Amino acid sequence: ATNETITGNISIANSSTNLLGKGTNFNTDLKNGDSITFTNDAGSSVTGIVRNIISQTEITLVDAVGGSDVTTAGVATRQYSI
């Protein structure tokens, strides 16, 4: 698998599947099924699977993040297989 930091910052509310971007290019940087990893505001690493790319600044994840996984202005890394 290859790791690639995506452009912009991401945010997600606790227990949500709706991930929002600021300055992101989700349509070009991500594909459905990609894993993305980011650090939540508590400093823990969170990984989610991209379910659907809605726009350049909004995606949904397959599973909701945890109740304490709120993230503001996080940097996300995409993992994908070539």
Side-chain angles (χ1 to χ4, degrees):
T2 301
N3 291 337
E4 174 182 270
T5 300
I6 64 170
T7 302
N9 293 318
I10 59 97
S11 59
I12 192 164
N14 56 319
S15 304
S16 177
T17 59
N18 199 37
L19 188 141
L20 300 175
K22 182 177 182 182
T24 48
N25 301 308
F26 290 153
N27 287 326
T28 49
D29 287 353
L30 296 173
K31 290 185 173 66
N32 292 348
D34 281 350
S35 291
I36 63 166
T37 301
F38 52 92
T39 302
N40 67 21
D41 288 356
S44 299
S45 184
V46 181
T47 299
I49 307 286
V50 177
R51 177 193 293 272
N52 191 30
I53 299 165
I54 297 166
S55 69
Q56 290 284 46
T57 57
E58 185 176 1
I59 61 174
T60 56
L61 301 177
V62 171
D63 296 309
V65 298
S68 59
D69 287 336
V70 62
T71 303
T72 52
V75 175
T77 304
R78 170 190 182 215
Q79 290 89 39
Y80 60 98
S81 300
I82 297 176

